[in-house]
Amino acid sequence: MYSVKLLLLVLPSIFLNSSSAAKLGVVQTEGGKVEGKSHRMGLFQTVEVFKGIPFADIPGKWEKPKPHPGWSGTLKATKYRDRCLQVTLLQKETHGSEDCLYLNIFIPHGRSVSSNLPVMIYLFGGAFLLGASNDVAYLGDSLYDGKEMADRGEVIVITVNYRVGTLGFLSTGDARLPGNYGLWDQHAAISWVHRNIKAFGGNPDNITIFGQSAGAASVSYQMLSPYSKGLFRRGISQCGVALSPWALQRNPMALTKKIARKVGCKTTNEDAMVECLKMSDPIGLTKAVPVCLPVSPPGPVLDLLELSPVVDGDFIPDEPSKLFHHAAQFDYLAGVNSMDGHLFAGVDVPSINKKQVNTTVEEVRSLLAGLTKEKGSAGVASAYSTYSSHWGSLPQQEVIKKTVADIETDFLFLVPTQIALQLHAANSSGARTFSYLYNMKTRIPGFPGWVEAEHAEELQYLFGHPFSMSIGYFPRHRDLSGYMIAYWTNFARTGDPNTGNNRVPASWPAFTKHHHPYLTINHKISKSSVSFDLRSEYVNYWTGTYSSLPSVTAHTSP
Ligand SMILES: *[C@@H]1O[C@H](CO)[C@@H](O)[C@H](O)[C@H]1NC(C)=O
Ligand SMILES: *[C@@H]1O[C@H](CO)[C@@H](O)[C@H](O)[C@H]1NC(C)=O
Ligand SMILES: *[C@@H]1O[C@H](CO)[C@@H](O)[C@H](O)[C@H]1NC(C)=O
């Protein structure tokens, strides 16, 4: 009797162990041994997760990342490590640590241990100010949990940390504080993956980097840097490129002086100021960031997104638009969400989200004036006539409000992405280019009916949340999630989103020098989801008419 009970207790565990046996267990990396944890997905499928593997040592303040000294014994890689030191969402406090250069690996296995898998490295977004590889945990897993994507796409997914905010991007625009420390961290992480991923069953010659918002602009920067040659093969930019107006700081010294004053460093002698900054408390420096998003700022919110990469003459040797020959070797897939700018538009022109309040023509003009400062009154006049040309004589409020969101979407995201795609396609010799527009209707409650796809909304589908969390999602959300995972992971596997292990609902034609097709991504994808020349009227306006207007000498505030 007793032994039968014992047998019944033991049997299932024998069965479970034998059927979920495919795992790497302890893996030898250049720094030492690591051991992760297996998660069962389907009957014969597991995803082995390694969390918190260091890819560099604790970085010195405003120094490039250094190799990790290594460890003895086996590192239990089962917990996410701290995010890099940053302000909290409301920007009153800080959280995270300077000891933050870690990455996380998600490896799918079937009946046997995987080998030679394509690898996808994710760079998180957050305006170069916020964010982490394991950001926004709700109901358990983080938004960027790679298990579903790894399992459904049969790829290794890796999420990495990089320094953000003052510690990641402060620069004097010269050798004293060259800037771009966060980009160097990303580069160190990609290099670590290139050197070590074979031991985890990955193919070091099949690495794709992908990212969203500031992470998407980071992907673009990594592709444009001469340091990336041969390190990875493809890139995906979701809502951001190096050409986005918020992605490059052209006057870093002015910003550094502002921050120096905030932490009590004198700015009259620049060398002394730099010495003082170097001795300042990292928490104080992190808090000195001049942003106040929830409160309506005096100019467009764009003006506050200031801590970004710089042309340092090294990692980024020149203006991003002049570096596309470096990117010619990589396959590139890029796109935007139809209302990427809505979030920013709602801060700049709050009336667009209020049913009872009308948005006035003056508000539209003053938003345009803020965005087109460098071209003076001629800029506002031509931009206004372009954006109001379809209004008719008595425009409905909804039309005006949607125009405000379109203006910010075009200016901050869509037009720069189209320019990057065109430069990439024109320079490419054999590498492929793909363009998309994501327009799934928003799930965020309380927004007006005209709002389509908000900034960052595609991430929950790409990371397979409708599969891992059934609450709040419907079959159409799982359809969309399956489509995105298929296109993205096929692209990582073959350089073509149509070809790979996963079937796709429609063929997505490549973007070339002369033809500019794009796929519209939502829960109903069919042949008719392919269109051409995304918002070309507006792309042509900003790249043609607007850019040829003479610049008035900009009066930049100190
Ligand atoms: C990338 O991976 C795919 C699928 O495993 C394979 O067919 C292809 O040859 C790989 N490419 C390289 C350069 O190894
Ligand atoms: C290729 O990229 C460079 C920048 O590196 C750009 O100036 C040039 O216009 C591009 N080539 C073509 C044919 O568009
Ligand atoms: C808002 O504009 C509409 C016309 O689009 C007008 O009928 C209405 O009276 C206005 N409401 C307010 C509060 O001004």
Side-chain angles (χ1 to χ4, degrees):
M1 175 73 180
Y2 196 76
S3 59
V4 170
K5 254 191 188 165
L6 195 68
L7 197 65
L8 284 176
L9 282 173
V10 168
L11 252 183
S13 71
I14 290 172
F15 175 73
L16 282 181
N17 281 338
S18 58
S19 67
S20 66
K23 67 170 182 187
L24 295 157
V26 175
V27 175
Q28 181 74 49
T29 72
E30 63 187 25
K33 294 187 174 72
V34 295
E35 184 172 17
K37 202 173 156 192
S38 278
H39 297 257
R40 175 178 287 274
M41 303 300 288
L43 186 53
F44 296 109
Q45 288 154 278
T46 56
V47 171
E48 196 170 354
V49 183
F50 296 79
K51 292 179 180 172
I53 300 180
F55 62 83
D57 202 357
I58 304 169
K61 192 193 277 173
W62 300 315
E63 289 172 8
K64 288 181 192 175
K66 301 176 288 253
H68 196 275
W71 56 91
S72 52
T74 299
L75 181 80
K76 289 271 179 230
T78 53
K79 272 214 300 262
Y80 288 122
R81 301 294 303 244
D82 284 340
R83 64 183 51 222
C84 291
L85 187 62
Q86 58 191 254
V87 287
T88 54
L89 205 54
L90 296 176
Q91 292 154 25
K92 295 237 163 61
E93 305 295 328
T94 63
H95 56 163
S97 159
E98 288 174 273
D99 178 9
C100 64
L101 299 185
Y102 296 85
L103 51 75
N104 318 300
I105 310 181
F106 303 82
I107 308 155
H109 301 294
R111 285 168 194 266
S112 55
V113 171
S114 294
S115 63
N116 215 33
L117 287 178
V119 180
M120 298 184 74
I121 304 176
Y122 184 69
L123 305 176
F124 62 84
F128 299 109
L129 196 65
L130 310 168
S133 60
N134 58 319
D135 219 355
V136 220
Y138 55 96
L139 302 177
D141 285 340
S142 96
L143 175 59
Y144 310 139
D145 183 285
K147 288 200 291 288
E148 290 293 336
M149 230 185 135
D151 179 51
R152 291 170 189 274
E154 292 172 74
V155 296
I156 294 181
V157 175
I158 300 178
T159 60
V160 309
N161 274 357
Y162 59 90
R163 279 172 284 174
V164 291
T166 322
L167 297 184
F169 291 95
L170 194 74
S171 170
T172 51
D174 54 35
R176 287 172 293 192
L177 293 175
N180 293 344
Y181 320 101
L183 296 185
W184 284 106
D185 293 344
Q186 296 165 0
H187 175 74
I190 300 165
S191 306
W192 187 96
V193 171
H194 190 74
R195 294 193 304 271
N196 290 276
I197 204 61
K198 202 164 193 298
F200 294 88
N203 179 345
D205 298 319
N206 244 344
I207 298 175
T208 298
I209 60 174
F210 68 123
Q212 183 265 347
S213 198
S218 298
V219 165
S220 177
Y221 275 117
Q222 297 297 330
M223 290 172 62
L224 299 175
S225 174
Y227 283 86
S228 297
K229 217 168 178 41
L231 209 50
F232 57 91
R233 286 185 67 113
R234 322 185 214 281
I236 302 175
S237 289
Q238 300 168 219
C239 317
V241 291
L243 307 176
S244 307
W246 43 266
L248 183 71
Q249 174 52 259
R250 286 204 162 79
N251 193 357
M253 183 57 105
L255 174 62
T256 296
K257 286 187 174 169
K258 249 197 269 183
I259 290 175
R261 274 180 226 119
K262 281 205 180 183
V263 297
C265 292
K266 289 211 180 80
T267 57
T268 34
N269 176 323
E270 289 179 355
D271 286 338
M273 174 191 75
V274 169
E275 284 319 303
C276 174
L277 283 167
K278 283 186 174 163
M279 280 164 20
S280 299
D281 168 39
I283 294 190
L285 285 164
T286 300
K287 278 196 203 167
V289 170
V291 181
C292 49
L293 271 182
V295 190
S296 213
V301 69
L302 164 68
D303 290 353
L304 296 172
L305 302 173
E306 294 183 298
L307 277 162
S308 5
V310 293
V311 173
D312 60 5
D314 187 11
F315 197 74
I316 304 301
D318 203 342
E319 280 286 316
S321 65
K322 297 191 178 135
L323 298 173
F324 276 76
H325 50 288
H326 290 300
Q329 60 187 307
F330 306 111
D331 297 312
Y332 192 40
L333 190 156
V336 296
N337 294 359
S338 59
M339 298 237 169
D340 257 333
H342 174 256
L343 183 77
F344 305 86
V347 178
D348 291 340
V349 186
S351 62
I352 63 165
N353 288 327
K354 296 181 184 144
K355 270 213 173 74
Q356 279 77 17
V357 183
N358 280 359
T359 296
T360 63
V361 163
E362 288 67 41
E363 284 178 292
V364 180
R365 277 187 195 278
S366 102
L367 170 67
L368 285 168
L371 296 175
T372 62
K373 280 195 288 292
E374 57 158 333
K375 306 285 189 179
S377 53
V380 195
S382 79
Y384 181 78
S385 79
T386 303
Y387 279 93
S388 60
S389 64
H390 66 285
W391 280 3
S393 52
L394 273 177
Q396 293 200 324
Q397 272 299 309
E398 188 173 307
V399 172
I400 298 179
K401 292 180 175 195
K402 187 170 173 297
T403 300
V404 170
D406 286 344
I407 289 169
E408 297 237 17
T409 299
D410 285 351
F411 191 84
L412 298 175
F413 302 99
L414 190 146
V415 173
T417 300
Q418 291 304 306
I419 299 170
L421 284 162
Q422 288 175 19
L423 284 171
H424 185 265
N427 274 274
S428 135
S429 51
R432 274 169 287 198
T433 315
F434 295 91
S435 166
Y436 73 86
L437 174 73
Y438 170 93
N439 76 348
M440 183 75 169
K441 180 125 193 67
T442 183
R443 292 176 68 240
I444 302 171
F447 278 160
W450 51 266
V451 178
E452 290 174 5
E454 179 61 85
H455 195 55
E457 264 192 292
E458 83 286 10
L459 290 170
Q460 58 193 313
Y461 302 102
L462 180 59
F463 284 94
H465 288 247
F467 296 113
S468 56
M469 289 180 291
S470 42
I471 297 171
Y473 291 108
F474 297 105
R476 66 174 184 278
H477 300 122
R478 285 184 276 283
D479 289 346
L480 169 59
S481 188
Y483 300 156
M484 287 193 76
I485 291 174
Y487 284 122
W488 262 238
T489 59
N490 282 351
F491 177 74
R493 181 165 265 106
T494 66
D496 179 349
N498 306 299
T499 316
N501 292 12
N502 286 55
R503 286 196 35 195
V504 295
S507 178
W508 181 349
F511 184 106
T512 65
K513 197 170 171 175
H514 302 293
H515 296 278
H516 299 163
Y518 65 95
L519 182 73
T520 298
I521 297 179
N522 52 43
H523 67 290
K524 285 188 290 197
I525 300 183
S526 68
K527 271 198 195 115
S528 57
S529 303
V530 175
S531 318
F532 286 82
D533 303 316
L534 177 60
R535 285 180 74 76
S536 53
E537 183 190 337
Y538 300 93
V539 176
N540 294 341
Y541 165 70
W542 289 106
T543 57
T545 315
Y546 178 78
S547 80
S548 58
L549 290 172
S551 292
V552 299
T553 338
H555 210 69
T556 37
S557 53

